[in-house]
Amino acid sequence: MTMQPHSPTFTLGQIEQGPPCCEPIPHLSIKGLSVRYGAQTVLDEVSLDIYKGCITALIGPSGCGKTSFLSTLNKMTDAISHAHVTGSIHFDNNNILDAQTNVLQLRRRIGMIFQKPNPFPLSIERNLELPLKEHGIKSRKVRKEKIEKALRDVGLWHEVSDRLNTSALALSGGQQQRLCIARAIILEPEILLMDEPCSALDPISSGIVEDLIIRLRGDYTVIIVTHNLAQAKRVANYAAFFWMKERVGKLIEFGQCQHLFDTPQHELTAAYISGAKG
Amino acid sequence: MPSRSASNIRLADQCFSVLIMACAAFVTITLIWVLGDIVIKGASHITWSFITSEPSDAGRSGGIGTILVSTLLILCVALGAAIPIGLGVAVWLSEFTVQHSRFSNTVGTTLDVLAGIPSIVYGLFGNAFFSLYLGLGFSILSGGLTLACMILPIFIRTCESGLSAVNNDWRKGAQALGMSRSAAIWHVLLPAAAPAIIAGLILGIGRATAETAALIFTSGYVDRMPGSLLDSGRALAVHIYDLSMNVTGGDNAAYASAFVLITLIILLNTTAQSLIDRWFSQRIYAS
Amino acid sequence: MAKASTRSNRTDTYLSRILGAMGLLCALLLVLVVFFLLKEAWPVVQSGGWLRFFHAQGWYPLEQLFGMLPMIWASIAMALGAILLALPIGVASALFLLFYAPPSVAKIYRLLLNLLAGIPSVVFGLWGLTELVPIIATWHAPGTSLLAAILVLTLMIIPTVALTSVAALSAVPKELHAGAQALGLTRKTRIMSVIIPAAKAGIISGALLATARALGETMAVLMVAGNVVQTPSSLFDPVRALTANIALEMAYAMSDHRASLFAAGLLLTLIVWGLALIASRIVKSNGKVLAYAK
């Protein structure tokens, strides 16, 4: 199976294509994943494959477990004391959910971008230097190179190269979010998790970040939660539709983005994308 | 991945955890040392007659009966002056003044500045103003009023923060019912802010009971039974100081008094809490 | 109906006036305090004599020599020593409470800190005098010393540092925690490089308030420091703090001597206010730093 060519309906402008797009090789293989917070099940028996180099959009109404799903993938759920995760997530022949998984290493390979930009209250440079140092890159020169490359990758370099030592909090919202993406990709992760990365930004910044996400395709496997169906159509290769049944989140439909939007298999999906529900 | 540096980083992380735990353990052990010391050396000398009888031989023998009476009288004077004024000003600041108006800001800043004054300086002020200028002399009244000045700022600030934290809908609700502001304050706002008021009161009581420096030159040293509020009276904290510094062989009595003082502070705190709890809950249901 | 409402309005007006008068009274209290301190210190301040607080050769009230400098140095040395020890221990306590201790332990630990904060200073003094001083005396006589004062003050201000740090650290937005976790940073790096920098202003202002408290502390210092008027040259020197001096000599001080003690009180108050002012400035200026996390 080859990748669907971009249909004009959901391509935004002319995007420079990097390496050939995604291939249907499972990068993450999720089987029977359930998440409970205390007695409340928020996600029930989700199984799907995330394909390498592709952008997978998770869509659905609020509270249907999309964000919970996303945070199990890099074990952010560990921080929630009453969270209980069952099932399996295979990544590189290992089950992420195994207790012996090295969480720090895992998070180096699976980066995450949050809804609200969260640069640390440090200088721009220090924001990027911190993860590099932490993951054992001792040479100052190598770090400088990597910082420049990451900033170029997110299109920030020419905007901030003359003020790397100023506080990251002085940047605009859109710039902050791109800095956060730079901070995540500087560790050269294989997978990027994005939790509504554009929803806290103004339309113009949002457009820039969206372009950036599209450019990441091929180099990174991206899983993006979005409430913006148009955005999902524009950026994603695959889409997964979540819905809440009796207060429990379930995966309703998963497939190629275009197919899911054009010919939804499930009536709930059809209702949601046509705006009748949700 | 350079695994060596990764393990170094993990080692640093573990060392850091150990350090944090060690600090917490240090604080806990020292607290146990201080309290344990007081309990072990103090409790053995506590008898009923120690608590009720008058001190003799400069406090080496006898008890602390008169001193307890003076302490409680000083505390009563301090709270009697501080509570009404404190509650009044707190209500005024949060309910009657326009937020951030010039006058209320001035009063607010004044309170913060007053809260910062060291207690020994309150002692100087009390000596100059209450004892000499107002002619109250070295008396329980001067001492209590000095303490009232000292605890007012913190009491007002905690009450005020409690009142401002009360849900604004309740104010609107009371207004919509045609309640006067006074009635709304009495029946709705004060009960709702009770926890903060209690907290402020406890802080005030704790400070007033523990205070020594502000009392040495205001309520004085005399360890007889006070005949009136204008008599000098020795507070328990002053007694401990005097026994350990000025009376050789007074250590045992000092420890016993320290034990009583700490017990008293804990006792007063819990009583204040339960009393005010009950009072406010009665107001809510009875009215 | 109308009558009732005017009556209640009248109550409101009266209440407002009474309470306003109380507010005024509180504001006047500060004026009173400053006025009486100045009034009593005036004989020395007015005669230009206040310069001799800094120039006079030592503190010999009987010979009309009122050199406060040795005591000022002693007070500063105590407060600095105490905050240097209490800051790391206090912040570590706060970190333990928030990030290391399981909830039940954290609850007990918070209780312990409050208990420590509630212990009267005279009790710390008693403990210091009978437990700590003898230990120090075995290293270096006489035991009552700058070191003893620093250690007792440290214990007294640890709760202040710890509780203000807890407040500052728990105000750090959870997005920063999540961001640091998602990068695979270790707990130490998360705390030292992200959380503490974000809470820096609150921690520093708490430390300043604690320093002010150590400077103003009288009884504990009076009981363990030895009370010899001299500029401290080693940790084992017995020294006298400004506050202790007031407590020791007020009982018999007359005329200029008494005025000097009030002047010392005034000086102390000014230093403490200065510290509090800086602390509140730091907190205010930090208001906008974390504004993005609205």
Side-chain angles (χ1 to χ4, degrees):
Chain A
M1 189 168 86
T2 54
M3 178 47 214
Q4 290 294 311
H6 294 312
S7 118
T9 49
F10 59 89
T11 317
L12 179 79
Q14 286 295 313
I15 287 144
E16 281 181 54
Q17 283 300 312
C21 223
C22 65
E23 311 160 52
I25 304 167
H27 203 172
L28 285 176
S29 190
I30 296 140
K31 298 233 158 49
L33 183 74
S34 298
V35 180
R36 280 189 287 121
Y37 294 140
Q40 175 66 41
T41 304
V42 288
L43 200 64
D44 187 39
E45 292 286 323
V46 172
S47 302
L48 82 159
D49 285 348
I50 302 291
Y51 297 119
K52 194 167 195 150
C54 304
I55 299 181
T56 305
L58 310 182
I59 58 174
S62 304
C64 63
K66 303 186 301 289
T67 299
S68 296
F69 173 76
L70 204 64
S71 20
T72 55
L73 301 183
N74 66 346
K75 296 201 96 174
M76 287 292 276
T77 37
D78 282 7
I80 307 165
S81 57
H82 55 284
H84 189 76
V85 183
T86 52
S88 71
I89 303 171
H90 278 275
F91 177 42
D92 246 11
N93 300 322
N94 291 314
N95 182 3
I96 289 175
L97 298 179
D98 278 351
Q100 64 264 38
T101 304
N102 180 339
V103 176
L104 302 184
Q105 286 306 310
L106 175 75
R107 288 177 188 161
R108 191 195 164 165
R109 297 176 64 192
I110 305 184
M112 188 168 196
I113 316 292
F114 297 84
Q115 183 173 5
K116 270 194 236 166
N118 57 354
F120 302 139
L122 310 167
S123 73
I124 297 170
E125 186 168 21
R126 188 93 179 90
N127 258 285
L128 299 171
E129 198 179 47
L130 193 61
L132 289 177
K133 264 191 176 163
E134 181 78 354
H135 289 287
I137 295 169
K138 288 202 172 123
S139 152
R140 215 179 137 71
K141 191 164 151 274
V142 176
R143 284 203 304 261
K144 286 257 182 219
E145 285 166 10
K146 282 184 181 279
I147 288 173
E148 180 175 342
K149 181 173 181 299
L151 285 174
R152 282 192 193 282
D153 284 349
V154 298
L156 260 183
W157 178 252
H158 63 282
E159 292 169 47
V160 302
S161 61
D162 55 339
R163 48 178 176 137
L164 289 177
N165 286 316
T166 58
S167 168
L169 303 186
L171 298 173
S172 74
Q175 287 175 322
Q176 286 187 2
Q177 191 64 301
R178 280 185 287 154
L179 178 66
C180 291
I181 296 177
R183 194 174 65 188
I185 63 178
I186 203 165
L187 291 173
E188 294 163 13
E190 296 155 49
I191 300 175
L192 281 176
L193 311 176
M194 300 190 172
D195 189 1
E196 301 186 53
C198 298
S199 67
L201 305 180
D202 64 83
I204 292 177
S205 310
S206 168
I208 295 172
V209 171
E210 198 179 296
D211 279 356
L212 171 62
I213 294 168
I214 295 171
R215 258 187 281 144
L216 296 173
R217 179 162 48 200
D219 290 334
Y220 301 93
T221 303
V222 176
I223 306 170
I224 177 171
V225 169
T226 178
H227 277 125
N228 182 337
L229 293 181
Q231 184 179 56
K233 270 196 220 173
R234 285 193 297 265
V235 305
N237 309 109
Y238 290 88
F241 173 62
F242 287 74
W243 185 258
M244 202 164 45
K245 275 183 180 165
E246 286 140 17
R247 304 186 62 210
V248 174
K250 279 181 187 299
L251 174 67
I252 303 299
E253 190 170 348
F254 173 71
Q256 289 195 6
C257 191
Q258 199 184 357
H259 286 177
L260 191 126
F261 277 99
D262 294 346
T263 51
Q265 302 299 304
H266 199 287
E267 56 185 24
L268 276 171
T269 319
Y272 183 72
I273 60 178
S274 68
K277 263 190 172 176
Chain B
M1 185 65 208
S3 68
R4 187 144 155 238
S5 84
S7 71
N8 279 349
I9 285 166
R10 197 170 315 151
L11 189 69
D13 186 44
Q14 280 159 358
C15 289
F16 188 73
S17 306
V18 170
L19 211 63
I20 298 271
M21 306 280 186
C23 281
F26 168 79
V27 173
T28 312
I29 289 169
T30 326
L31 178 72
I32 292 172
W33 184 9
V34 175
L35 286 181
D37 187 43
I38 304 292
V39 171
I40 290 169
K41 292 190 191 161
S44 53
H45 291 87
I46 303 286
T47 54
W48 184 243
S49 79
F50 178 79
I51 291 174
T52 52
S53 65
E54 264 188 58
S56 61
D57 192 14
R60 287 186 197 93
S61 51
I64 52 168
T66 53
I67 285 155
L68 278 179
V69 172
S70 302
T71 309
L72 290 180
L73 284 178
I74 293 171
L75 191 62
C76 287
V77 171
L79 293 182
I83 291 177
I85 298 181
L87 268 183
V89 175
V91 166
W92 179 74
L93 276 176
S94 73
E95 304 300 319
F96 286 93
T97 57
V98 186
Q99 287 279 297
H100 307 303
S101 81
R102 212 157 174 207
F103 187 36
S104 72
N105 267 350
T106 312
V107 174
T109 318
T110 310
L111 289 174
D112 292 343
V113 170
L114 279 172
I117 298 179
S119 65
I120 182 87
V121 177
Y122 274 108
L124 288 176
F125 163 73
N127 177 273
F129 182 63
F130 295 117
S131 301
L132 297 179
Y133 185 78
L134 295 185
L136 298 175
F138 279 60
S139 66
I140 286 172
L141 204 54
S142 326
L145 291 175
T146 308
L147 287 190
C149 297
M150 202 182 89
I151 61 177
L152 251 184
I154 188 158
F155 180 59
I156 295 175
R157 274 306 198 198
T158 24
C159 291
E160 190 201 346
S161 67
L163 283 168
S164 338
V166 171
N167 193 337
N168 220 1
D169 294 348
W170 294 9
R171 280 190 192 89
K172 285 186 191 149
Q175 263 169 16
L177 287 172
M179 276 167 105
S180 74
R181 255 176 162 182
S182 325
I185 289 166
W186 188 247
H187 295 297
V188 180
L189 297 179
L190 283 184
I197 295 171
I198 294 165
L201 196 66
I202 288 172
L203 277 172
I205 291 176
R207 287 213 176 169
T209 320
E211 189 48 49
T212 319
L215 291 177
I216 302 178
F217 323 117
T218 52
S219 64
Y221 272 95
V222 177
D223 59 6
R224 283 189 309 274
M225 179 64 84
S228 78
L229 290 184
L230 287 171
D231 265 2
S232 170
R234 183 191 282 201
L236 197 52
V238 177
H239 189 57
I240 296 169
Y241 160 65
D242 196 52
L243 281 174
S244 84
M245 288 294 281
N246 304 332
V247 180
T248 40
D251 276 358
N252 286 337
Y255 267 102
S257 307
F259 180 75
V260 173
L261 180 61
I262 287 185
T263 317
L264 195 67
I265 286 177
I266 294 173
L267 207 72
L268 283 172
N269 283 355
T270 34
T271 328
Q273 176 132 19
S274 63
L275 267 184
I276 296 231
D277 259 347
R278 198 175 310 156
W279 182 66
F280 274 109
S281 62
Q282 270 173 2
R283 288 227 60 77
I284 288 176
Y285 298 118
S287 54
Chain C
M1 182 67 203
K3 204 174 170 187
S5 88
T6 48
R7 187 169 4 141
S8 75
N9 277 343
R10 204 176 302 150
T11 331
D12 279 0
T13 325
Y14 285 142
L15 190 67
S16 168
R17 280 191 197 147
I18 295 170
L19 297 183
M22 285 177 168
L24 198 65
L25 200 74
C26 275
L28 279 179
L29 181 60
L30 179 64
V31 179
L32 265 186
V33 171
V34 174
F35 174 77
F36 272 89
L37 285 180
L38 270 176
K39 175 176 169 275
E40 297 285 332
W42 198 244
V44 185
V45 176
Q46 172 222 27
S47 61
W50 60 276
L51 272 178
R52 59 186 168 156
F53 294 150
F54 302 100
H55 291 149
Q57 298 296 310
W59 177 266
Y60 301 104
L62 292 177
E63 295 156 38
Q64 297 291 308
L65 281 176
F66 301 112
M68 286 186 199
L69 223 42
M71 294 184 283
I72 294 175
W73 286 128
S75 280
I76 291 176
M78 284 175 197
L80 274 185
I83 196 63
L84 283 181
L85 287 176
L87 186 60
I89 300 175
V91 173
S93 288
L95 293 173
F96 174 75
L97 196 72
L98 290 173
F99 306 123
Y100 286 83
S104 55
V105 177
K107 210 171 164 188
I108 296 170
Y109 193 68
R110 191 185 278 267
L111 206 73
L112 285 184
L113 285 176
N114 281 323
L115 201 60
L116 195 63
I119 295 179
S121 64
V122 68
V123 172
F124 274 115
L126 178 65
W127 171 80
L129 193 60
T130 56
E131 294 283 309
L132 210 53
V133 165
I135 294 175
I136 296 173
T138 60
W139 304 331
H140 199 299
T144 46
S145 57
L146 177 60
L147 180 64
I150 287 176
L151 292 179
V152 170
L153 284 178
T154 303
L155 275 187
M156 296 181 68
I157 61 176
I158 281 176
T160 314
V161 176
L163 295 172
T164 47
S165 300
V166 166
L169 289 167
S170 42
V172 171
K174 62 177 193 309
E175 286 85 356
L176 281 188
H177 289 271
Q181 249 166 6
L183 285 174
L185 305 183
T186 58
R187 185 153 59 171
K188 168 185 167 274
T189 314
R190 291 201 303 265
I191 289 172
M192 294 303 281
S193 306
V194 179
I195 310 300
I196 288 187
K200 200 171 53 187
I203 294 173
I204 292 176
S205 88
L208 285 175
L209 292 177
T211 313
R213 192 170 162 220
L215 267 179
E217 175 51 42
T218 312
M219 298 320 291
V221 166
L222 174 64
M223 292 166 83
V224 303
N227 299 323
V228 177
V229 182
Q230 59 174 335
T231 309
S233 60
S234 100
L235 278 175
F236 298 103
D237 281 354
V239 291
R240 184 188 288 193
L242 267 185
T243 50
N245 186 50
I246 299 174
L248 282 169
E249 301 189 350
M250 254 303 277
Y252 59 88
M254 309 289 273
S255 61
D256 271 10
H257 185 194
R258 181 177 156 91
S260 317
L261 295 183
F262 272 85
L266 207 56
L267 178 70
L268 207 63
T269 310
L270 289 180
I271 298 176
V272 168
W273 282 346
L275 288 173
L277 189 71
I278 301 172
S280 74
R281 282 279 161 82
I282 291 176
V283 170
K284 256 179 216 158
S285 70
N286 189 53
K288 49 184 176 285
V289 172
L290 287 178
Y292 76 92
K294 7 183 188 333

